[in-house]
């Protein structure tokens, strides 16, 4: 009595060979998570001796380095919001800049922008009384944060917006171009998938403005 074992006549069990009938390939597609942030100056608000003039900039957000939801062509230069002040009335002048921040889900996984951070530009200051709506909180001397969107689920393709206002520090030497930066500093999705193109300390949203004075 004996048993004879034969190898599979059309398979090599030790190698992958195309066409053998005892092997197969299956492919999976992993969805990605991607939140973008765009920011632009919407208004300049200048009060001189009790009279306030609000000017709409008409600016539109650009598409950013990787974002595709912007309106302005990414090849165009970032516009600069300019305010001209009368130096004879500086001590009676207050200047505010209003910004809009748009967070968009450009990925394939629903998620949340649980925290957004705005870095206070040098020469400007944050006033809580100007920013009651979106719960901005000052964190140290150089930034403010909000968790206003932490319960707002963004499905793929959806957006949500925030606003923030900064005041110019009234000083005859505090002139020139200023830069304001914001970024998504915390996010969440149920798969714990990381944002595919976010790098800490490399914010996505930047805006520019310029303070001038007349003679």
């Amino acid at each position: 009595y004996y048993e004879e074992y034969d190898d599979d006549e059309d398979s090599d069990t030790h190698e992958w060979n195309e066409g053998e009938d005892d092997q197969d390939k299956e492919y999976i597609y992993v969805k990605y998570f991607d939140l973008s942030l765009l920011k632009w100056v919407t208004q300049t608000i200048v009060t001189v001796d009790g009279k306030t003039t609000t000017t709409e900039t008409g600016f539109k957000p650009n598409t950013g380095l990787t974002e595709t939801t912007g309106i302005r062509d990414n090849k165009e230069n970032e516009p600069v919001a300019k305010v001209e002040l009368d130096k004879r009335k500086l001590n009676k002048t207050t200047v505010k800049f209003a910004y809009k921040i748009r967070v968009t889900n450009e990925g394939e996984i629903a998620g949340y922008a649980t925290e957004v951070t705005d870095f206070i530009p040098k020469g400007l200051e944050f006033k809580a009384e100007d920013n009651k709506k979106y719960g901005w909180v000052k964190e140290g001397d150089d930034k403010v944060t909000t968790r206003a969107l932490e319960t707002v689920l963004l499905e793929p393709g959806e957006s949500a917006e925030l606003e923030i206002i900064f005041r110019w520090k009234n000083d005859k030497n505090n002139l020139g171009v200023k830069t304001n930066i914001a970024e998504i500093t915390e996010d969440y999705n149920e798969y714990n998938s990381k944002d595919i193109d976010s790098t800490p300390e490399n914010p996505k949203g930047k805006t520019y403005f310029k303070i001038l004075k007349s003679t």
Side-chain angles (χ1 to χ4, degrees), residues 129-173:
E129 59 264 36
D130 295 333
N131 296 280
K132 296 179 179 180
K133 185 175 181 179
Y134 293 100
W136 292 98
V137 177
K138 193 172 182 182
E139 305 281 356
D141 296 329
D142 62 348
K143 68 180 181 180
V144 292
T145 63
T146 180
R147 304 188 73 87
L149 300 182
E150 70 176 340
T151 60
V152 179
L153 179 63
L154 294 177
E155 296 286 349
E158 290 185 339
S159 298
E161 292 184 344
L162 302 165
E163 291 180 338
I164 191 167
I165 293 174
F166 287 113
R167 293 192 191 190
W168 173 64
K169 292 182 178 180
N170 196 314
D171 187 324
K172 64 181 180 179
N173 298 313

Side-chain angles (χ1 to χ4, degrees), residues 27-151:
Y27 300 91
I28 61 171
Y29 176 75
V30 179
K31 293 184 178 181
Y32 63 92
F33 183 57
D34 184 18
L35 297 181
S36 72
L37 184 148
L38 299 172
K39 182 176 183 179
W40 64 104
V41 183
T42 57
Q43 294 178 330
T44 59
I45 305 160
V46 181
T47 301
V48 180
D49 204 10
K51 182 180 179 181
T52 299
T53 301
T54 300
T55 303
E56 300 287 339
T57 65
F59 294 170
K60 298 177 181 180
N62 71 339
T63 57
L65 296 177
T66 59
E67 295 81 355
T68 57
T69 53
I71 299 172
R72 184 168 53 82
D73 188 338
N74 192 42
K75 295 179 181 179
E76 296 179 24
N77 292 328
E78 188 82 21
V80 178
K82 297 179 181 179
V83 174
E84 187 169 335
L85 305 178
D86 187 339
K87 69 177 183 179
R88 297 167 297 180
K89 299 180 179 181
L90 283 183
N91 61 340
K92 299 180 179 180
T93 299
T94 301
V95 180
K96 300 179 184 180
F97 292 92
Y99 306 83
K100 186 166 286 187
I101 296 171
R102 178 185 297 161
V103 176
T104 300
N105 187 344
E106 294 190 336
E108 301 173 313
I109 299 173
Y112 303 84
T114 52
E115 182 184 79
V116 175
T117 297
D118 198 303
F119 299 91
I120 303 172
K122 186 177 180 180
L124 270 72
E125 59 186 343
F126 172 83
K127 295 288 187 180
E129 59 264 36
D130 295 333
N131 296 280
K132 296 179 179 180
K133 185 175 181 179
Y134 293 100
W136 292 98
V137 177
K138 193 172 182 182
E139 305 281 356
D141 296 329
D142 62 348
K143 68 180 181 180
V144 292
T145 63
T146 180
R147 304 188 73 87
L149 300 182
E150 70 176 340
T151 60

Side-chain angles (χ1 to χ4, degrees), residues 2-3 14 22 48 55 108 129 149 178 183 188-189 203:
Y2 67 93
E3 292 183 4
H14 302 291
D22 66 342
V48 180
T55 303
E108 301 173 313
E129 59 264 36
L149 300 182
K178 314 289 184 180
E183 68 173 326
Y188 172 77
N189 63 79

